[in-house]
Amino acid sequence: MGESPENLWSHPQLVAAVTSEDWGAVFRTYRKLTGLSQMKLGERVGLVQPDVSDIERGRRRVTSVEVRQRIVAGINVPLDLQATAAQLAMDTAPVAGLALPGAAPDEDLLTRVTGVVNESHRVDAATLDWLDRLLAEHRRAEDRIGSRPLVDVMRQQLHTVVNLYAGARGRLTGRVVRLASEHAQFLAWMAQDQAQTASALAWYDRSHEWALEAGDANMAATTLSMKAHMAWSGGRGTRCVRLAEAARWSAPGTSLGVQGMAAQMAARGHALEGEADDARRLLDEAQALITRASERPEAEPVWMYFYDETWFTLQRGMAALHLRDWREAVDHLTVGLGALPDEYRRDKTWYRACLAHAFAGAGESTQAVSVAVASIPDASSLGRPHSWNELHTAAAVLMRRGAKEGRQLVTALREYD
């Protein structure tokens, strides 16, 4: 007889296999404890029996984010255990290579950057300036290529930053902690982007803790706003509002842009709950803040580079989408997408999927399918579950309305599933 669910995830051998992400050992141990055949386990995790066998025997490695997510969901890995696995992956990651094509530091600086980790040399300002610059470049790269290719690189880079702490002195100690907080926030965002909720929450909590230690009010507030965004993504409007309001009152002295981000997140939470008056009031407040922030861009933290009128127009479109004001949603999303630079490939894919949903809701089925079908290749190649799910939502709305284009969109999506 197999283990009961309450005992299964306390078994040390299974816990060790999951936290080390040894999926072959996970499968073997899970089947031993539950009595499942390879075929039955495959049905749970969306794999055929030969694939389960190959993974167990080490002939196939699990490298796909989608396959990993299916395994975790199929065997019901507890959230706290998923978070532990994410933390251990960071703790054991190797030191990153720090060369950046086309923007490498001079030879002396590169020696110092790589040497402080292995030889415990003192950290200097030039080293931290370079790491600040490298993080900024990675943020920009993620806009173009999505989060999947960068996750391992950023884990390694954070490991490097954490190791710098022992060699930091005086004011540089605070800079190292701040830099670690920014890296953890970026890792959290990428986990969130890939729908890895437990990992994202663990990274946001770590980032918030480090931000408080470094005295960085802007990052402390930003992590709360991003947790509000996670709640919004999960359809939890009330939690979204509460976290966004916490971002506003718990970190005084934040920049106007950071305040505006928190206000618009609260607005989106209210919109999700159908509370139109509160949503529109907070959107107006956020717009006033972003207008004032645009007058002094140098006062904003570097990670707020994307927060401008174009981005805010798109957020208004999202709020209108939740309030089922389809025409307003179409108008705002169309204007915002028209102004969004092509380099924001990830965001363009997401907002196009939302525009398809808005067109479907407005009963404009031809436009909905046209926008959706054009978005499918990028949604598939970038590996964004949120964009993919939104395209399926648009198809579902069309099907409910009895539009013949709904089946056309479903067929197009199945070609990439």
Side-chain angles (χ1 to χ4, degrees):
M1 174 179 277
E3 291 275 356
S4 61
E6 60 269 23
N7 294 329
L8 183 66
W9 292 108
S10 62
H11 194 283
Q13 190 174 354
L14 186 58
V15 169
V18 170
T19 53
S20 63
E21 299 205 349
D22 182 348
W23 299 110
V26 170
F27 281 6
R28 292 191 301 272
T29 307
Y30 187 88
R31 290 201 310 107
K32 178 181 178 181
L33 295 174
T34 60
L36 286 181
S37 66
Q38 289 183 342
M39 182 176 293
K40 289 295 185 183
L41 176 58
E43 290 174 359
R44 291 193 180 187
V45 300
L47 293 169
V48 296
Q49 183 273 329
D51 287 339
V52 173
S53 177
D54 284 348
I55 291 171
E56 285 193 2
R57 292 171 178 269
R59 292 192 294 233
R60 174 181 171 182
R61 295 181 59 201
V62 176
T63 58
S64 164
V65 173
E66 289 82 4
V67 173
R68 181 189 183 280
Q69 289 172 350
R70 291 207 304 269
I71 293 172
V72 167
I75 62 177
N76 295 315
V77 176
L79 292 179
D80 58 343
L81 191 53
Q82 294 182 48
T84 300
Q87 181 62 50
L88 288 176
M90 183 274 287
D91 290 341
T92 59
V95 173
L98 297 177
L100 187 65
D106 60 74
E107 185 174 349
D108 177 62
L109 176 55
L110 183 58
T111 299
R112 292 202 304 274
V113 169
T114 56
V116 288
V117 176
N118 297 319
E119 300 177 22
S120 300
H121 291 173
R122 285 196 176 187
V123 181
D124 57 22
T127 299
L128 299 183
D129 288 344
W130 170 246
L131 289 169
D132 274 330
R133 180 182 173 188
L134 194 61
L135 176 58
E137 293 290 342
H138 281 134
R139 289 185 189 279
R140 296 283 189 171
E142 198 259 347
D143 291 329
R144 296 189 298 274
I145 65 176
S147 58
R148 243 186 340 194
L150 288 171
V151 172
D152 288 340
V153 173
M154 295 313 302
R155 282 179 176 170
Q156 293 167 10
Q157 196 166 306
L158 174 57
H159 187 66
T160 299
V161 172
V162 170
N163 280 339
L164 296 179
Y165 185 80
R169 299 290 183 272
R171 294 181 180 178
L172 294 182
T173 303
R175 278 197 63 186
V176 171
V177 177
R178 175 192 59 75
L179 191 57
S181 176
E182 291 186 24
H183 278 73
Q185 183 267 340
F186 189 35
L187 278 165
W189 159 249
M190 290 193 290
Q192 178 181 341
D193 185 56
Q194 294 297 319
Q196 296 172 1
T197 303
S199 294
L201 286 172
W203 284 119
Y204 279 133
D205 286 344
R206 179 58 59 88
S207 176
H208 188 260
E209 177 186 343
W210 280 336
L212 293 177
E213 182 180 344
D216 190 339
N218 283 322
M219 179 52 76
T222 296
T223 56
L224 291 173
S225 286
M226 296 307 293
K227 288 178 76 171
H229 185 274
M230 283 190 67
W232 169 83
S233 296
R236 303 173 67 185
T238 300
R239 176 173 169 81
C240 174
V241 171
R242 288 173 177 170
L243 285 166
E245 291 297 338
R248 304 184 75 190
W249 59 255
S250 66
T254 54
S255 74
L256 293 171
V258 170
Q259 293 172 38
M261 175 187 280
Q264 66 84 22
M265 277 311 316
R268 287 162 70 180
H270 283 298
L272 198 58
E273 295 296 309
E275 298 160 354
D277 290 342
D278 286 333
R280 292 194 169 97
R281 171 180 57 81
L282 283 163
L283 284 170
D284 289 342
E285 184 178 338
Q287 181 139 30
L289 287 165
I290 187 177
T291 299
R292 290 170 59 197
S294 66
E295 297 170 358
R296 292 189 60 212
E298 73 281 359
E300 296 300 317
V302 293
W303 62 85
M304 294 292 290
Y305 64 91
F306 63 91
Y307 191 74
D308 57 16
E309 288 287 352
T310 295
W311 186 83
F312 187 76
T313 298
L314 292 164
Q315 303 316 304
R316 277 197 178 274
M318 294 302 304
L321 190 68
H322 290 307
L323 293 170
R324 297 178 179 273
D325 189 337
W326 306 116
R327 176 43 53 190
E328 182 180 347
V330 166
D331 290 345
H332 283 307
L333 289 170
T334 300
V335 170
L337 277 165
L340 194 64
D342 288 338
E343 66 191 64
Y344 289 89
R345 182 183 172 210
R346 178 205 63 209
D347 292 338
K348 277 209 162 188
T349 301
W350 162 245
Y351 289 117
R352 280 174 179 154
C354 294
L355 179 59
H357 182 182
F359 272 129
E364 300 179 35
S365 54
T366 300
Q367 293 91 328
V369 171
S370 176
V371 171
V373 169
S375 304
I376 289 175
D378 278 344
S380 176
S381 64
L382 289 171
R384 295 204 75 211
H386 302 297
S387 298
W388 200 248
N389 291 343
E390 195 69 12
L391 290 171
H392 278 278
T393 298
V397 171
L398 291 172
M399 296 287 284
R400 285 199 301 270
R401 289 178 172 271
K404 66 180 186 301
E405 290 85 356
R407 188 161 297 282
Q408 177 186 344
L409 179 53
V410 169
T411 300
L413 286 165
R414 282 177 178 168
E415 291 179 0
Y416 283 82
D417 272 334

